[in-house]
Amino acid sequence: MKSREQILNLFLIKLSMTEEARQMIPTIARVTKGYSGSDLKELCKAAAINPIREITKEVSRKAVMGLASGTNSKTKAQKKSSFGPPKGIKPRPVGKEDFELALGKVKKTGETARTFLERERSSKAEANNAGIDMNDLAKNMQMLQMLMGGRVTN
């Protein structure tokens, strides 16, 4: 746990964060047991992107509203200078809620693959318990393909 906390501190040292979020680092380290260093890096990136998304979402909304209201009288230079967020705007500090969202999105490496394999094994076991011979099923599928005019592939 201590090493995960150190890794998180390294990734987050220069990031603008609320005090509440900084104090949450030991808890994050505790709940991320089994996460690799790259998993922790992705977690930090996911949390850091939320404040930036808020800015771009608002800018996009304003741009769409401006287009919808028919503000076509701007010159090309005016349109170019009004693209994106206003100069000097900074994202808000990363907060506790950003890490909570990130923890919901970023999973341990291999967790998705492991879940897939478990489901696959479970469905095969169910098929076997139902009395389905997978080899017979494959042969029958090939025969059906051949009857329908398709090519048989092995």
Side-chain angles (χ1 to χ4, degrees):
M1 184 184 99
K2 200 68 177 163
S3 61
R4 284 192 307 278
E5 187 174 340
Q6 290 172 339
I7 291 169
L8 288 166
N9 280 318
L10 279 173
F11 289 138
L12 300 170
I13 197 163
K14 293 182 181 180
L15 186 65
S16 174
M17 295 171 58
T18 64
E19 189 57 36
E20 185 181 28
R22 285 240 179 253
Q23 291 174 356
M24 191 178 172
I25 293 173
T27 304
I28 296 168
R30 201 169 36 257
V31 300
T32 54
K33 184 177 180 182
Y35 279 54
S36 68
S38 63
D39 295 335
L40 294 173
K41 185 176 184 178
E42 286 306 310
L43 179 73
C44 294
K45 283 181 179 182
I49 200 74
N50 285 333
I52 296 167
R53 278 197 179 117
E54 290 171 3
I55 292 171
T56 56
K57 184 178 178 182
E58 181 63 19
V59 169
S60 296
R61 187 188 66 76
K62 286 181 180 178
V64 168
M65 295 304 287
L67 291 174
S69 64
T71 56
N72 293 333
S73 60
K74 287 185 178 182
T75 67
K76 210 175 204 181
Q78 287 173 321
K79 285 180 184 177
K80 189 173 185 179
S81 69
S82 67
F83 179 74
K87 277 192 171 185
I89 193 166
K90 291 185 178 182
R92 66 169 172 75
V94 174
K96 178 183 175 185
E97 61 282 349
D98 298 313
F99 281 104
E100 289 168 349
L101 285 169
L103 282 166
K105 292 178 183 177
V106 179
K107 302 296 178 196
K108 292 184 252 187
T109 302
E111 186 173 313
T112 305
R114 201 170 14 264
T115 303
F116 173 79
L117 284 174
E118 286 171 4
R119 275 195 231 131
E120 195 68 18
R121 286 182 188 132
S122 173
S123 65
K124 283 182 182 177
E126 287 174 17
N128 287 337
N129 288 340
I132 299 172
D133 182 353
M134 297 308 275
N135 290 327
D136 283 344
L137 180 62
K139 287 176 188 175
N140 290 336
M141 291 296 292
Q142 285 180 339
M143 190 182 310
L144 182 61
Q145 251 184 337
M146 197 170 64
L147 291 170
M148 294 180 74
R151 294 186 315 192
V152 176
T153 56
N154 288 330

